[in-house]
């Protein structure tokens, strides 16, 4: 997730005094509002638990009231501190850090702990309503959904909860996968919009794991609903021709769900997540593109400046590293004022360094508000490849994702230098270079290279 503290507020305390509040945003949306003393308390707890040599630098206390310039300096320092903690392999996944964010989120939104009903979309049919506590974290809510559905415990981890936005035309935008540092009920309630929903969807990429899910009746129904209705076929995320449509319709009428899924697995873009139209600099700067993630790649449908359409893919096994960067863009009409004095939007970019041909690496940039979701998709694909190569199971993949979620964030805040998330889990050695992805003279550009494996020395 993208952590930032883009602004501060002067607020009144219980005794009538005033204090400076620091607004922590996640993906450009307010997550919580905290005081310096609260963050200092978190810092002291982390230092006590993990040692002074592990924690990043924290801005020091001041004896006198801070000037506006000093408040701005502290804001920048606290932003860097939060990002450093989140990115640390130990601190970012710690219960200390996550529980602090959950408590702060609940206090900011002023939602007391009490029993509540939460609607979960299940891809088709009526919504599932689970009765939870408003303070239940993401894992608790997911387990409650599994229990309500009678989904076996060992299959619950194959699914995740996603926050999605539904447009007036029925289009779906995946905002993010719900994280362990947030409270799903508070997150959805604070948005105050019926256009946002929490959706249960499979959280793996390799279709080989479909068989594990389909061996269970509930799992089969969930997967069938996702493939048929929610995102994939009826929404056009999976491409089908007329003959395939007839076959699918026939299987649907017969109630042959497994056969339906097996046929869908042979179709183009099965299991992909499709993102909203955005902008890329490949193969030319300013090109419009629709990006999809799946099958260990990012797929591009690019509209060139001459209106010509090109399609291609970038394999995760040929990405050396990637990063997500952000900047603030004023949204007031015609103003050139800095964002400190004007309302601003957060501009996000995903950039990855790609092996185009032997000995030639090139950066490719995507400008999209879903850049962080794309980054998380890339990391989860790498996790699955690594575990599959080592002979591990999907359960190990899911556990690893939870423990190393900070690495998937590849986050970057305003006014800070770019941060790279190195794919030390991906080997560039022993990969065929018979084609070049920058060759767009044909009908498409592609990175169709053989993935020959990942060695232990790449870890």
């Amino acid at each position: 997730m993208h952590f930032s503290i883009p602004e501060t507020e002067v607020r009144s305390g219980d005794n009538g005094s005033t204090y400076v509040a620091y607004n922590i945003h996640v993906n450009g949306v307010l997550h919580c509002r905290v005081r310096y003393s609260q963050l200092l308390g978190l810092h002291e707890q982390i230092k006590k638990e993990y040692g002074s040599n592990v924690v990043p630098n924290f801005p020091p206390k001041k004896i006198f009231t801070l000037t506006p310039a000093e408040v701005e300096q502290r804001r920048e320092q606290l932003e860097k501190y939060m990002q450093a903690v989140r990115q640390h392999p130990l601190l970012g996944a710690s219960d200390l850090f996550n529980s602090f964010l959950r408590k702060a989120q609940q206090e900011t939104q002023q939602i007391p702990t009490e029993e509540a009903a939460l609607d979960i979309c299940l891809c088709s049919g009526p919504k599932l309503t689970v009765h939870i506590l408003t303070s239940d974290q993401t894992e608790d809510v997911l387990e409650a959904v599994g229990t309500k559905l009678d989904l076996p415990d060992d299959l619950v981890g194959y699914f995740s909860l996603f926050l999605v936005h539904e447009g007036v035309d029925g289009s779906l935008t995946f905002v993010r996968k719900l994280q362990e540092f947030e409270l799903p009920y508070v997150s959805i309630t604070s948005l105050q919009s019926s256009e946002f929903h929490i959706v249960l969807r499979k959280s793996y990429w390799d279709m080989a794991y479909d068989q594990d899910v389909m061996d269970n009746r509930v799992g089969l129904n969930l997967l069938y609903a996702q493939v048929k209705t929610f995102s994939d076929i009826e929404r056009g995320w999976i491409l089908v021709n007329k003959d395939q449509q007839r076959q699918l319709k026939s299987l649907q009428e017969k109630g042959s769900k497994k056969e339906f899924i097996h046929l869908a697995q042979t179709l183009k873009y099965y299991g992909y997540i499709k993102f909203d139209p955005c902008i890329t600099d490949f193969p030319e700067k300013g090109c419009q593109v629709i990006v999809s993630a799946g099958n260990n790649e990012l797929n591009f449908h690019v509209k060139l400046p001459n209106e010509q359409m090109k399609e291609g893919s970038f394999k995760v096994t040929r990405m050396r590293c990637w990063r997500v960067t952000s900047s603030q863009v004023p949204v007031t009409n015609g103003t050139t004022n800095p964002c400190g004095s004007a309302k601003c939007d957060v501009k996000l970019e995903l950039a990855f360094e790609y092996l185009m041909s032997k000995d030639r690496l090139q950066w490719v940039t995507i400008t999209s508000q879903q850049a962080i979701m794309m980054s998380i998709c890339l990391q989860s694909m790498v996790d699955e490849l690594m575990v599959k190569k080592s002979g591990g199971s999907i359960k190990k993949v899911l556990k690893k994702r939870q423990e190393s979620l900070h690495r998937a964030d590849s986050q970057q805040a305003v006014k800070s230098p770019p941060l790279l998330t190195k794919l030390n889990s991906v080997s560039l050695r022993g990969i065929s270079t018979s084609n070049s992805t920058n060759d767009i003279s044909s009908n498409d550009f592609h990175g169709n290279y053989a993935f020959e494996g990942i060695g232990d020395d790449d870890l």
Side-chain angles (χ1 to χ4, degrees), residues 238-309:
I238 294 177
L239 297 186
V240 294
N241 58 38
K242 290 183 179 180
D243 182 57
Q244 291 165 338
Q245 280 183 327
R246 285 193 294 269
Q247 294 180 58
L248 290 170
K249 184 178 180 180
S250 175
L251 292 172
Q252 180 183 343
E253 291 173 346
K254 295 177 182 177
S256 304
K257 296 179 181 179
K258 285 189 177 182
E259 291 77 5
F260 185 99
I261 294 172
H262 287 316
L263 176 56
Q265 288 175 334
T266 68
L267 304 179
K268 193 170 186 179
Y269 306 131
Y270 174 84
Y272 281 62
I273 288 180
K274 188 176 182 180
F275 299 99
D276 292 344
C278 51
I279 302 297
T280 182
D281 63 358
F282 186 90
E284 300 178 41
K285 188 175 181 180
C287 289
Q288 298 179 33
V289 62
I290 295 178
V291 180
S292 300
N295 193 30
N296 300 321
E297 68 180 19
L298 289 183
N299 181 271
F300 277 29
H301 275 75
V302 176
K303 184 177 182 180
L304 301 177
N306 63 3
E307 302 298 313
Q308 187 179 6
M309 298 298 297

Side-chain angles (χ1 to χ4, degrees), residues 113-348:
T113 297
E114 58 187 10
E115 292 185 355
L118 181 63
D119 289 336
I120 307 294
C121 294
L122 299 176
C123 301
S124 68
K127 296 178 180 177
L128 174 75
T129 300
V130 292
H131 296 277
I132 59 169
L133 293 177
T134 55
S135 58
D136 280 347
Q137 61 194 57
T138 302
E139 185 178 355
D140 297 329
V141 175
L142 181 60
E143 289 179 357
V145 172
T147 300
K148 186 71 176 286
L149 289 171
D150 199 24
L151 185 67
D153 292 343
D154 60 347
L155 289 184
V156 172
Y158 286 68
F159 296 87
S160 293
L161 299 175
F162 293 84
L163 179 66
V164 301
H165 177 266
E166 185 173 6
V168 293
D169 59 350
S171 61
L172 285 179
T173 297
F174 275 78
V175 179
R176 70 176 183 272
K177 179 180 175 181
L178 294 186
Q179 306 295 309
E180 286 310 302
F181 58 74
E182 64 182 314
L183 310 176
Y185 180 88
V186 177
S187 294
I188 194 71
T189 303
S190 63
L191 291 170
Q192 298 181 342
S193 173
S194 59
E195 296 177 350
F196 289 92
H197 311 287
I198 296 178
V199 170
L200 182 73
R201 193 180 194 276
K202 72 175 186 178
S203 59
Y204 57 88
W205 299 98
D206 192 337
M207 71 175 67
Y209 297 126
D210 285 347
Q211 190 58 51
D212 295 343
V213 176
M214 289 191 292
D215 284 342
N216 174 265
R217 177 186 57 82
V218 177
L220 172 62
N221 289 334
L222 290 172
L223 185 58
Y224 174 74
Q226 176 181 314
V227 174
K228 171 185 169 292
T229 307
F230 181 64
S231 60
D232 300 351
I233 292 180
E234 292 188 6
R235 292 183 182 271
W237 289 19
I238 294 177
L239 297 186
V240 294
N241 58 38
K242 290 183 179 180
D243 182 57
Q244 291 165 338
Q245 280 183 327
R246 285 193 294 269
Q247 294 180 58
L248 290 170
K249 184 178 180 180
S250 175
L251 292 172
Q252 180 183 343
E253 291 173 346
K254 295 177 182 177
S256 304
K257 296 179 181 179
K258 285 189 177 182
E259 291 77 5
F260 185 99
I261 294 172
H262 287 316
L263 176 56
Q265 288 175 334
T266 68
L267 304 179
K268 193 170 186 179
Y269 306 131
Y270 174 84
Y272 281 62
I273 288 180
K274 188 176 182 180
F275 299 99
D276 292 344
C278 51
I279 302 297
T280 182
D281 63 358
F282 186 90
E284 300 178 41
K285 188 175 181 180
C287 289
Q288 298 179 33
V289 62
I290 295 178
V291 180
S292 300
N295 193 30
N296 300 321
E297 68 180 19
L298 289 183
N299 181 271
F300 277 29
H301 275 75
V302 176
K303 184 177 182 180
L304 301 177
N306 63 3
E307 302 298 313
Q308 187 179 6
M309 298 298 297
K310 297 289 183 181
E311 179 188 356
S313 60
F314 296 92
K315 293 292 184 182
V316 69
T317 50
R318 297 185 66 80
M319 295 179 187
R320 189 181 74 88
C321 58
W322 74 77
R323 66 189 179 204
V324 173
T325 60
S326 72
S327 59
Q328 289 188 341
V329 182
V331 297
T332 49
N333 294 331
T335 182
T336 56
N337 292 336
C339 288
S341 59
K343 185 178 179 182
C344 297
D345 279 342
V346 176
K347 175 185 176 183
L348 295 173

Side-chain angles (χ1 to χ4, degrees), residues 14-152:
D14 295 335
N15 58 0
S17 62
T18 60
Y19 65 92
V20 175
Y22 297 87
N23 294 343
I24 298 176
H25 286 232
V26 177
N27 285 18
V29 176
L30 177 66
H31 178 79
C32 61
R33 187 181 294 112
V34 297
R35 302 175 66 158
Y36 170 82
S37 58
Q38 290 176 282
L39 291 175
L40 177 60
L42 170 66
H43 173 71
E44 294 296 336
Q45 284 184 295
I46 292 176
K47 187 166 61 174
K48 181 179 179 180
E49 180 74 20
Y50 297 99
S52 301
N53 60 326
V54 174
V55 298
N57 293 329
F58 191 83
K61 291 182 179 180
K62 300 284 185 178
I63 298 178
F64 302 105
T65 303
L66 273 61
T67 66
E70 289 173 327
V71 170
E72 173 61 15
Q73 181 184 42
R74 177 174 281 181
R75 180 197 67 78
E76 292 181 359
Q77 292 172 336
L78 290 174
E79 184 176 74
K80 291 178 180 178
Y81 175 83
M82 291 296 292
Q83 291 179 357
V85 172
R86 176 62 180 165
Q87 293 179 74
H88 192 280
L90 190 62
L91 306 182
S94 69
D95 187 59
L96 272 177
F97 184 65
N98 288 332
S99 61
F100 173 85
L101 290 172
R102 290 193 294 266
K103 182 179 179 181
Q105 182 191 25
Q106 186 176 14
E107 291 177 348
T108 299
Q109 300 301 334
Q110 298 182 335
I111 296 178
T113 297
E114 58 187 10
E115 292 185 355
L118 181 63
D119 289 336
I120 307 294
C121 294
L122 299 176
C123 301
S124 68
K127 296 178 180 177
L128 174 75
T129 300
V130 292
H131 296 277
I132 59 169
L133 293 177
T134 55
S135 58
D136 280 347
Q137 61 194 57
T138 302
E139 185 178 355
D140 297 329
V141 175
L142 181 60
E143 289 179 357
V145 172
T147 300
K148 186 71 176 286
L149 289 171
D150 199 24
L151 185 67

Side-chain angles (χ1 to χ4, degrees), residues 317 355 426-432 450-458:
T317 50
L355 186 65
V426 176
S427 171
L428 295 181
R429 297 191 295 274
I431 299 178
S432 168
F451 174 51
E452 297 187 0
I454 301 174
D456 293 337
D457 57 335
D458 298 312

